[in-house]
Amino acid sequence: MTYQTSSPDRAQRAGNATNSEFAALILRVTMGVLFLAHAWLKLVIFTPAGTVGFFESLGFPGFLAYLVIAAELLGGIALILGVWTRWVSLALVPVLLGSIYAPHGAAGFFFSNEGGGWEFPAFWAIALIVQALLGNGAYALRRPRS
């Protein structure tokens, strides 16, 4: 006689969400909050004018600073809410690749280097690609079509 204390699905499900859907949720919300924090930093601490000046000092056109701020702000909100997660994740990858190119690329790999290396932006870009592969996850406002 065998006793089954729980079904195999029960260990992987809470409600209707699987572990991978919860993993996608945690990754999505965490990255969304980080993007909002970076937008806030550019808006409140550095100010938009200061951010424009910094972008220009790196050789980028000043208007690109406003596009990055908007991408971080709107992308962060979309990720937190779970709206167009795959597309938003892929759209934010160039922001991180740009931060690797300048200013972090010249500082070396380790983020603890003076000027901050490119290890964190590279990891974040890879996490965005993983998020795009995973999709919305649990508790997203925009559920995928069945």
Side-chain angles (χ1 to χ4, degrees):
M1 180 190 275
T2 59
Y3 294 97
Q4 187 173 359
T5 56
S6 66
S7 69
D9 275 347
R10 183 148 176 97
Q12 293 183 353
R13 293 191 172 271
N16 290 330
T18 64
N19 286 344
S20 62
E21 289 173 321
F22 280 117
L25 165 70
I26 293 167
L27 182 62
R28 187 187 84 221
V29 171
T30 301
M31 286 194 298
V33 169
L34 287 172
F35 274 112
L36 288 182
H38 277 256
W40 179 83
L41 183 71
K42 289 173 180 69
L43 288 169
V44 177
I45 304 300
F46 299 141
T47 73
T51 304
V52 166
F54 179 67
F55 273 57
E56 289 174 340
S57 76
L58 297 172
F60 291 118
F63 76 88
L64 193 58
Y66 294 108
L67 293 178
V68 169
I69 292 169
E72 290 177 348
L73 184 63
L74 297 174
I77 291 168
L79 286 174
I80 290 168
L81 296 177
V83 179
W84 301 298
T85 302
R86 293 179 193 272
W87 293 110
V88 169
S89 296
L90 293 175
L92 289 169
V93 169
V95 173
L96 277 301
L97 295 179
S99 75
I100 290 171
Y101 175 74
H104 298 293
F109 176 74
F110 294 105
F111 206 69
S112 59
N113 293 349
E114 186 176 336
W118 55 272
E119 75 174 302
F120 176 67
F123 177 78
W124 200 354
I126 292 166
L128 284 167
I129 293 167
V130 170
Q131 184 71 66
L133 292 170
L134 288 172
N136 290 335
Y139 303 110
L141 285 185
R142 190 164 192 270
R143 299 300 300 170
R145 293 182 197 151
S146 300

